[in-house]
Amino acid sequence: MAASTIREQDLVAALIKNYHVPPGVADEMIGADGQVRPVWRPFLQRFAALSAEDIARRFDRGDRYLRDAGVFYRQYREEGSTERDWPLSHVPVLLGEEEWQEISAGLRQRADLLEQVVQDLYGPGDLVKQGMLPTALVAGNPAWLRPMVGITPPSGHFLNFVAFELGRNPDGSWFVLGDRTEAPSGAGFALENRVATMRSFSDPFPHGKIHWLGDFFRHFREAMQAGGDAPDGRAAILTAGLGTETYFEHAYIARYLGLMLLEGEDLVVEEGRTMVRTVAGNKPISVLWRRMDAAFVDPLELNDKSQIGTPGLVNSIRAGHLSMVNALGTGVLQTRAFLAFLPRIARELQGAPLAIPNIATWWCGAPKERDYVQSHADRMTIGNALAQDLPFEVEGDTIIAGRFPDGRTADVAQRLAAEGAGLVGQEAVSLSTTPVYEDGQLVPRPVMLRVFAARTAQGWSIMPGGYARIGASGDATALALRRGGSVADVWIVSDRKLPTDRVAVNERPFQRATPSLLPARAADNLYWMGRYVERAEGLIRLVRSYHMRLAEAGVPDDLRVARIAQYLARKGVSLEDPVPLDILDQLSHAIRCAAKVRDRFSIDGWTALRSLEQEIATADRPQPGDEAARALSLMLRGTAGFGGLVHDNMYRFVGWRFLSLGRALERAQAMTQILADFAAPTAPEGSFDIAIELGDSVMTHRRRYLIQTNRSTVIDLLALDHRNPRSVRYQVSMIRRLVADLPGAEVNGELSELARAALRVETQLAVADPGRLSTDKLQSMAAALGRLSDLLTRTYLT
């Protein structure tokens, strides 16, 4: 045996020396024979050769990617919600290709079975009539939506995208813990897990034998686009909004697949057709990938308390104009008690047992099953029959081995007698374990796989790998993220090198895609993001100017210092803090707007904004004067960096125009107000220089005017010079050009009201004389710019 091979074996042996799998538990890395599974050996040989410092460096590389990409999940607590860093467990879960093919076949069978069940539940109802499903579990189930009965989706399929929670038995076989058919999450996070894990395990870890995920999403996207009922129909993702815990994933998938991300307020139903409110008017939509609970989709026919839905969507589906992924009401399949009946239903409908069985489940509404659960309560989890969570995601009234989660002893017999039909018993499970790197060594932790299936033109496609949930300890209830659990990538490893040079075959001739639609809500957020960023920059310049004058004068009652302080006070800005919180507030508003359009906003732009906010929030509070001025100068570089990213990298689509309009209107209006104050005839000495400095035009003024600053030179340079990017006229000219490129700016040769208004303001500036542009006229100009903003809002944003 070669010396290098012996050394590798010794390294691996040392790495797993303290890796102890609990008795009676399967492990993903160690087989039933106590040996390392073959699929893990090449990975472990390379991992064992890394030093602790190299491992830390690699893991930090993956974490840094996740932070830079802004990957988070929202956690809800009594004190409110908060964004938490994505908890990646860096060591992936490895499965062999042959084993995965067996899993995939079993899940395709299960997906077909679920489709058959839901078709019956909203169609003939034979399963209930024949006694294969109890009436109470359907008719009394809040997830069974009565308004959807009799409605067949336009595609003929109720299920298009499902997920399955899988665990491994001690004997190595797999079982299903639960089905996810409502709005399964995690597919987008699986992609991010893959990218971050590959960053950690780049060279010398070979990736050529790992199945990639891209084809899975590409085929599903093609199936979605083919599911519309009209040539001009479009596909989009429907989200509950920024407050939902998986909003990042919704935005990520929308950006990855090139789909619109819509909220309920973006949609309206007109004559049975679902339309998107866009800046170019209402446009039809044919397919919605629903990422919100079905009951909230339509307050008219479903949950009338919903504030995030769209009235009339059910009627649009009923009329055959809208397809939903998945169909409304399919969440009923997630009901925990259904697992007790699926094995028999499979034999009746498919003529074969389930290839991958459920977790053993008994519905306590039948005497025989209730007695069995009672007599075996010491190894049962007993809970709500209509619940849709997993056995280990326990509720306060769940009984585990005869006790409640808080340790109180439960009277199982009394509970079963009183609530039998509302309870279900499930056999306690011991999940398999997988290696997690902690404190310099590999330790086993319980693991569960979430596997995704998408309906395509060729049938069900199973994502090759996916998403593993890992416990923070040996307790299976700690798998949930809110309880400290983590997630890991899942590698499906082939024993042969996989092709990496896939060539897409497209028989249709090349055709440049039409510009994507911009929902009015997205345009509104882009517009105000531009305004808030510019407002923050303007405040930074004003406060910096204050501290620079304070450093020169040494006293706050200097006329120039007092003038700036008075101006800021009129804007509601307090100077008690050398770096006012108002700056942070404006950036926070900008980030919230950006968060609502994450699918349309670049990662670099997002990172620049978040970095600037964090820098200001965590910076040491400087002393007033020169120290504060220098700190504010550094902040200005951050806003300048954001502006450069937007200008250089953002595609010139309609969204960029609204973002640029926001910045231009805010800059023009702010400069007009500054000139009305600091270039007023009654302004104290030095005020003209302050105005020039706030306009970032000190060097330009020195080169253009061979005289000392006076009112005429300041007004000429900062109000009327069409070549100065800080001047009012320059910004108004940009506004006029941007407006001219908006939808409906000119119809049949006639300018829109907004286009005419922008042209009037530009003309007034173009013919103005510096000596005659009085303070009153400047204030009137600021008011005219405000009316432009109002007109833009009425025309496009509401």
Side-chain angles (χ1 to χ4, degrees):
M1 185 179 294
S4 60
T5 304
I6 295 174
R7 179 176 177 275
E8 288 171 355
Q9 291 178 347
D10 290 342
L11 288 171
V12 171
L15 178 67
I16 63 174
K17 178 178 63 175
N18 298 317
Y19 190 85
H20 302 301
V21 181
V25 172
D27 186 78
E28 297 306 317
M29 182 177 70
I30 306 297
D33 58 0
Q35 301 300 310
V36 173
R37 296 179 188 271
V39 70
W40 279 86
R41 289 172 189 162
F43 176 88
L44 289 178
Q45 288 167 359
R46 290 168 174 80
F47 189 80
L50 300 175
S51 66
E53 293 76 13
D54 195 15
I55 292 172
R57 191 162 48 248
R58 287 170 175 270
F59 287 3
D60 181 66
R61 203 157 60 204
D63 292 338
R64 189 165 58 248
Y65 163 77
L66 292 171
R67 288 194 301 270
D68 290 346
V71 183
F72 70 91
Y73 74 99
R74 190 171 296 280
Q75 188 172 32
Y76 291 91
R77 294 177 174 173
E78 290 184 2
E79 59 271 23
S81 66
T82 182
E83 291 181 6
R84 304 297 301 272
D85 289 339
W86 189 240
L88 179 68
S89 179
H90 302 85
V91 177
V93 178
L94 274 59
L95 296 172
E97 183 180 54
E98 185 175 344
E99 182 179 24
W100 188 254
Q101 288 173 349
E102 295 178 4
I103 292 172
S104 298
L107 294 183
R108 290 189 187 95
Q109 177 210 20
R110 189 176 188 88
D112 284 334
L113 175 65
L114 293 176
E115 175 71 33
Q116 290 176 283
V117 172
V118 75
Q119 284 188 10
D120 178 78
L121 292 178
Y122 289 99
D126 292 334
L127 293 176
V128 173
K129 294 174 186 175
Q130 296 170 12
M132 285 188 282
L133 273 175
T135 304
L137 291 184
V138 179
N141 195 325
W144 183 68
L145 304 180
R146 192 176 297 274
M148 304 308 298
V149 174
I151 301 177
T152 301
S155 66
H157 300 295
F158 286 77
L159 295 175
N160 311 86
F161 195 90
V162 297
F164 306 95
E165 312 282 17
L166 298 185
R168 192 194 285 271
N169 284 306
D171 65 2
S173 63
W174 292 90
F175 63 96
V176 175
L177 284 152
D179 304 299
R180 290 287 176 255
T181 55
E182 177 69 271
S185 63
F189 289 127
L191 280 169
E192 290 288 35
N193 290 345
R194 174 61 55 89
V195 176
T197 303
M198 289 302 189
R199 295 277 178 101
S200 297
F201 295 107
S202 55
D203 184 73
F205 291 84
H207 300 153
K209 295 184 177 182
I210 302 170
H211 284 263
W212 296 96
L213 308 180
D215 285 349
F216 172 82
F217 289 96
R218 179 170 60 84
H219 293 150
F220 180 56
R221 182 179 187 272
E222 291 170 353
M224 279 185 63
Q225 290 178 321
D229 75 318
D232 58 349
R234 296 166 177 85
I237 294 175
L238 180 63
T239 176
L242 186 60
T244 188
E245 61 185 9
T246 54
Y247 176 78
F248 169 83
E249 183 196 19
H250 305 171
Y252 179 84
I253 287 287
R255 185 167 59 236
Y256 184 81
L257 297 181
L259 300 174
M260 284 187 291
L261 183 64
L262 303 177
E263 297 182 22
E265 66 182 272
D266 294 325
L267 300 170
V268 63
V269 177
E270 297 178 346
E271 298 180 354
R273 290 194 64 86
T274 303
M275 313 292 283
V276 185
R277 306 176 196 264
T278 80
V279 295
N282 293 346
K283 303 294 182 182
I285 191 114
S286 293
V287 182
L288 284 175
W289 184 359
R290 175 174 58 84
R291 301 304 305 273
M292 59 193 288
D293 288 348
F296 295 97
V297 164
D298 185 347
L300 193 63
E301 297 202 47
L302 301 175
N303 187 338
D304 60 1
K305 295 181 175 59
S306 172
Q307 299 182 11
I308 57 176
T310 305
L313 278 188
V314 169
N315 189 51
S316 184
I317 295 170
R318 187 179 290 122
H321 297 313
L322 180 67
S323 292
M324 196 75 78
V325 178
N326 291 323
L328 298 180
T330 52
V332 69
L333 297 171
Q334 294 184 180
T335 303
R336 191 186 289 178
F338 273 35
L339 295 175
F341 303 94
L342 286 179
R344 179 189 170 191
I345 293 173
R347 290 192 295 271
E348 292 289 337
L349 298 186
Q350 297 183 331
L354 290 169
I356 303 179
N358 305 326
I359 177 177
T361 305
W362 295 266
W363 177 57
C364 299
K368 180 180 177 182
E369 285 76 9
R370 184 166 59 249
D371 292 344
Y372 182 86
V373 170
Q374 182 175 332
S375 62
H376 296 82
D378 59 332
R379 55 184 180 89
M380 289 279 180
T381 297
I382 306 172
N384 185 350
L386 299 182
Q388 297 194 354
D389 52 5
L390 299 180
F392 53 77
E393 295 175 333
V394 294
E395 308 147 350
D397 62 348
T398 298
I399 299 172
I400 307 173
R403 306 185 75 86
F404 288 109
D406 60 7
R408 290 179 294 119
T409 302
D411 189 334
V412 175
Q414 182 181 9
R415 180 87 181 274
L416 289 172
E419 307 174 36
L423 297 175
V424 65
Q426 293 183 293
E427 190 172 25
V429 296
S430 296
L431 295 174
S432 64
T433 54
T434 193
V436 171
Y437 189 75
E438 291 182 3
D439 301 324
Q441 60 182 344
L442 294 177
V443 295
R445 291 287 180 259
V447 62
M448 181 194 71
L449 303 188
R450 177 171 293 182
V451 183
F452 301 93
R455 187 183 296 280
T456 70
Q458 291 74 40
W460 287 106
S461 172
I462 307 297
M463 181 189 289
Y467 178 91
R469 295 167 63 184
I470 297 176
S473 65
D475 182 6
T477 64
L479 264 72
L481 298 188
R482 63 181 179 274
R483 293 178 179 148
S486 58
V487 297
D489 189 16
V490 179
W491 290 1
I492 307 304
V493 183
S494 174
D495 57 4
R496 68 188 193 286
K497 190 171 179 61
L498 299 171
T500 58
D501 54 345
R502 299 185 183 93
V503 178
V505 178
N506 190 347
E507 297 178 355
R508 291 178 294 181
F510 168 77
Q511 182 179 4
R512 180 168 289 173
T514 56
S516 61
L517 296 178
L518 180 66
R521 177 187 55 83
D524 186 49
N525 281 291
L526 287 165
Y527 172 72
W528 279 102
M529 177 171 58
R531 294 207 70 157
Y532 285 132
V533 170
E534 188 63 33
R535 200 169 289 177
E537 181 177 327
L539 273 178
I540 293 172
R541 290 185 182 278
L542 278 161
V543 178
R544 183 182 69 164
S545 184
Y546 169 84
H547 285 292
M548 290 173 67
R549 299 302 180 283
L550 182 62
E552 294 170 5
V555 290
D557 56 356
D558 176 85
L559 288 178
R560 297 171 303 162
V561 176
R563 185 78 175 196
I564 301 173
Q566 291 166 4
Y567 184 84
L568 287 167
R570 288 197 296 273
K571 289 183 168 293
V573 179
S574 170
L575 289 166
E576 291 183 7
D577 188 334
V579 180
L581 290 177
D582 303 78
I583 296 171
L584 193 59
D585 287 343
Q586 298 302 327
L587 286 173
S588 296
H589 292 323
I591 288 170
R592 184 166 181 82
C593 289
K596 292 180 179 180
V597 288
R598 284 293 300 272
D599 58 312
R600 296 176 177 272
F601 197 57
S602 75
I603 291 177
D604 288 338
W606 169 262
T607 303
L609 272 181
R610 288 302 300 264
S611 298
L612 182 58
E613 180 198 39
Q614 292 167 5
E615 180 184 330
I616 295 174
T618 59
D620 295 333
R621 299 295 92 180
Q623 292 297 314
D626 182 65
E627 187 177 323
R630 283 188 280 112
L632 289 158
S633 293
L634 289 176
M635 295 174 195
L636 270 181
R637 296 174 193 171
T639 60
F642 171 80
L645 283 169
V646 169
H647 184 270
D648 292 342
N649 298 344
M650 198 168 177
Y651 188 80
R652 268 43 172 177
F653 69 137
V654 181
W656 172 83
R657 295 184 194 121
F658 280 97
L659 176 62
S660 300
L661 275 167
R663 296 203 74 184
L665 265 165
E666 186 67 35
R667 182 174 290 188
Q669 199 167 23
M671 181 53 66
T672 307
Q673 293 167 344
I674 285 170
L675 291 173
D677 192 289
F678 292 96
T682 57
E685 185 179 351
S687 294
F688 296 154
D689 291 326
I690 293 174
I692 293 292
E693 179 187 302
L694 293 174
D696 198 21
S697 300
V698 174
M699 294 300 297
T700 305
H701 187 277
R702 289 174 184 170
R703 288 193 175 98
R704 286 211 58 192
Y705 307 99
L706 302 178
I707 55 175
Q708 190 175 3
T709 52
N710 59 51
R711 188 176 188 280
S712 293
T713 62
V714 172
I715 295 295
D716 184 57
L717 182 60
L718 295 181
L720 306 178
D721 193 328
H722 67 285
R723 293 186 180 88
N724 182 7
R726 288 282 170 179
S727 77
V728 180
R729 184 181 170 189
Y730 183 96
Q731 297 302 322
V732 169
S733 296
M734 179 185 292
I735 291 167
R736 196 263 307 158
R737 292 193 299 271
L738 289 167
V739 166
D741 286 334
L742 294 180
E746 181 178 334
V747 179
N748 297 327
E750 183 178 354
L751 295 180
S752 68
E753 184 182 358
L754 176 61
R756 290 199 304 271
L759 182 59
R760 277 196 297 269
V761 176
E762 183 185 31
T763 303
Q764 291 171 14
L765 286 165
V767 300
D769 180 82
R772 297 182 180 180
L773 197 56
S774 65
T775 298
D776 288 343
K777 289 183 177 179
L778 285 168
Q779 291 172 339
S780 177
M781 182 67 65
L785 291 168
R787 289 192 294 272
L788 265 185
S789 179
D790 293 340
L791 189 53
L792 176 76
T793 299
R794 289 199 305 272
T795 306
Y796 293 104
L797 308 183
T798 58

